[in-house]
Amino acid sequence: MTMTALGEPSVLLKLGEVVLKGRNREIFEMRLRANIKHALKGHRVDIRQRHGVIALFLPSGTEVEEAETVAARVADVPGIVLVHLAWRVAKDPDSITKAAIELIRDSDEVARKARFAVRSRRRDKRFPLRSNELDRVVGGVINDTFGLPVDLSNPELTVHIEVDKDEAFLFTGGRPGQGGLPVGSSGRALALLSGGIDSPVAAYRMMRRGLRVDFLHFSGIPFTTSESIYKAYALVRNLDKFQGKSRLWVVPFGKAQQSIKNSGQDRLAVIAQRRLMLKTAEEVAHRIHAEALVTGDSLGQVSSQTLANITAQDHAVDLPILRPLIGLDKTEIMAEARRIGTLEISELPDEDCCTLLAPRQAETRAKIEDLKQIERRLDAEDLAAQLADSIQPYKLDV
């Protein structure tokens, strides 16, 4: 396979629901291009917009390995549904046919005489051959050259050809992107990040819906070690590949937990802690101009996530609380955590502040007035402001 015969490597990005945005589409596409540019910082790439497609042109002479690295990196950028490592050739039937032959010559499918099809698309309607005519021309030469059987219904190998304004692109496969909307197109949110499995997945899901997510972690210090902070840092560092410029803050929460524990309402301690966390997060959110909070709650998964207790937590703050995992079970959440690369980190042992002072038996139907009485004794509003003042930023090394 020679680069001269195949042309130059490039990367094609297929967009999903961005193309359905009507009059606002250009705003979403501009945001997506900016996110791609940030993700590819350090790579020399020319980003060009097409109708429903973004083409990444690499410098002349770029090695295939570099193009593959670029393709892998942009596959993590929300707003893209498919990523194709493609070859850019002159837009004439002869060049396209020769490139198609070289593209598949050394493939396993050719070696085992796999069934094939050619799928062409003309974005430039001035091209002299219609899509089905180009399919027949290229498919006929492939059949003559390699003796592969044609199967238009269920091919094992598909050669894709896209004829564009100034060139044609050829590719045989691709990798799935993240889908969703470009990060930053829906606003900013603050995610409460524990060291567990659920909250990183919740944050990821909101990134896919266009939210730029910052992270707030509650540490049990001084009653725990820094292990949970290290986990939170590792989780944010992993999640940063989906949005870039992620920010993490840590709240030393141990003494506040101890005060709640000493309030005498043992069964309500977990929900009281959660409400204080939310109040603190709301105070931080106001300071960083975040418009919502994000949690990893899943209905009925633990005692604090019954419907009554979720309602009691919602009542603690005015900002909306987004719960993208609310209808998922643990198996589904773990599968997504494994896919996005956070599961292995979340399963590392640490001292979780949420369980440090948890009672043996927690309340499943907390009454809001009982919680308010605890908060009045603690001066919860002032305490939340003090906790927000105590946050410590952790800069990501990415």
Side-chain angles (χ1 to χ4, degrees):
M1 183 183 296
T2 64
M3 189 175 296
T4 302
L6 269 175
E8 297 288 345
S10 58
V11 179
L12 291 185
L13 312 178
K14 301 298 179 66
L15 312 187
E17 59 184 294
V18 170
V19 303
L20 305 176
K21 290 302 178 181
R23 295 178 182 178
N24 294 325
R25 175 173 170 175
E26 185 176 350
I27 298 173
F28 285 84
E29 289 178 338
M30 287 176 59
R31 173 64 66 177
L32 180 56
R33 290 196 299 272
N35 292 349
I36 292 168
K37 183 177 180 180
H38 177 79
L40 295 178
K41 187 170 55 177
H43 298 275
R44 293 174 58 202
V45 176
D46 181 11
I47 303 173
R48 302 188 189 182
Q49 185 77 50
R50 298 290 191 266
H51 185 73
V53 176
I54 292 177
L56 305 182
F57 287 6
L58 306 174
S60 179
T62 297
E63 296 294 332
V64 178
E65 291 76 13
E66 172 68 9
E68 290 173 342
T69 298
V70 168
R73 182 65 194 91
V74 293
D76 288 331
V77 178
I80 300 165
V81 295
L82 282 171
V83 179
H84 301 290
L85 177 58
W87 294 89
R88 180 162 51 101
V89 301
K91 55 180 283 189
D92 63 80
D94 187 52
S95 297
I96 291 171
T97 302
K98 289 179 180 178
I101 294 297
E102 293 304 316
L103 179 62
I104 66 172
R105 182 182 296 281
D106 298 325
S107 67
D108 292 338
E109 289 84 359
V110 168
R112 57 185 174 83
K113 301 297 182 182
R115 304 183 310 276
F116 86 101
V118 178
R119 311 286 193 206
S120 301
R121 179 182 180 186
R122 296 186 308 161
R123 275 192 285 274
D124 182 0
K125 302 304 181 185
R126 298 170 300 174
F127 189 73
L129 297 180
R130 294 184 178 181
S131 296
N132 59 350
E133 293 172 334
L134 185 58
D135 290 346
R136 287 196 292 269
V137 169
V138 176
V141 175
I142 291 175
N143 180 261
D144 292 342
T145 304
F146 302 115
L148 302 185
V150 176
D151 186 345
L152 300 181
S153 300
N154 188 31
E156 299 170 271
L157 169 67
T158 302
V159 177
H160 295 273
I161 303 169
E162 299 193 0
V163 181
D164 219 317
K165 178 181 178 182
D166 300 314
E167 63 275 301
F169 298 96
L170 287 84
F171 55 91
T172 57
R175 67 178 72 206
Q178 302 303 316
L181 297 173
V183 169
S185 61
S186 299
R188 182 182 294 275
L190 180 64
L192 281 70
L193 183 73
S194 69
I197 295 170
D198 302 343
S199 55
V201 177
Y204 162 76
R205 287 209 158 195
M206 297 321 302
M207 292 178 196
R208 286 188 69 249
R209 300 313 307 156
L211 280 177
R212 171 159 291 282
V213 178
D214 293 313
F215 300 90
L216 188 65
H217 175 69
F218 290 84
S219 163
I221 287 176
F223 301 111
T224 65
T225 65
S226 299
E227 287 178 345
S228 74
I229 300 176
Y230 299 147
K231 281 183 66 174
Y233 180 91
L235 288 167
V236 174
R237 196 173 190 278
N238 180 282
L239 291 168
D240 188 68
K241 66 188 177 186
F242 300 114
Q243 66 172 6
K245 301 180 182 178
S246 298
R247 298 187 293 180
L248 168 66
W249 291 278
V250 174
V251 180
F253 196 60
K255 291 182 178 179
Q257 280 185 291
Q258 188 67 63
S259 297
I260 293 172
K261 186 73 172 179
N262 294 337
S263 69
Q265 298 289 336
D266 194 52
R267 286 173 60 91
L268 292 172
V270 171
I271 304 304
Q273 289 175 30
R274 290 285 292 174
R275 280 173 60 98
L276 182 56
M277 287 178 174
L278 290 168
K279 288 177 181 292
T280 304
E282 182 178 51
E283 180 66 29
V284 174
H286 288 319
R287 298 180 187 187
I288 65 172
H289 307 293
E291 303 161 86
L293 305 178
V294 178
T295 72
D297 295 335
S298 171
L299 186 62
Q301 186 178 123
V302 294
S303 63
S304 64
Q305 295 171 17
T306 64
L307 186 57
N309 286 351
I310 286 174
T311 301
Q313 292 172 58
D314 282 338
H315 191 272
V317 294
D318 294 325
L319 280 181
I321 303 174
L322 306 180
R323 297 182 172 91
L325 310 185
I326 195 69
L328 300 185
D329 63 30
K330 198 67 176 184
T331 301
E332 293 169 314
I333 297 169
M334 289 179 68
E336 183 132 321
R338 184 178 294 107
R339 184 182 68 80
I340 66 175
T342 59
L343 181 62
E344 188 174 346
I345 301 170
S346 295
E347 288 182 330
L348 293 172
D350 73 308
E351 293 182 283
D352 184 355
C353 79
C354 292
T355 58
L356 178 64
L357 300 174
R360 291 182 180 180
Q361 187 173 13
E363 180 61 65
T364 58
R365 297 185 61 83
K367 294 181 173 58
I368 293 174
E369 188 52 44
D370 293 339
L371 292 163
K372 284 184 174 181
Q373 288 181 10
I374 297 174
E375 290 169 353
R376 282 193 288 268
R377 288 198 295 270
L378 294 175
D379 240 344
E381 301 298 332
D382 288 343
L383 181 54
Q386 292 170 22
L387 288 168
D389 289 338
S390 72
I391 62 173
Q392 300 171 353
Y394 280 76
K395 186 176 180 180
L396 297 189
D397 180 23
V398 293

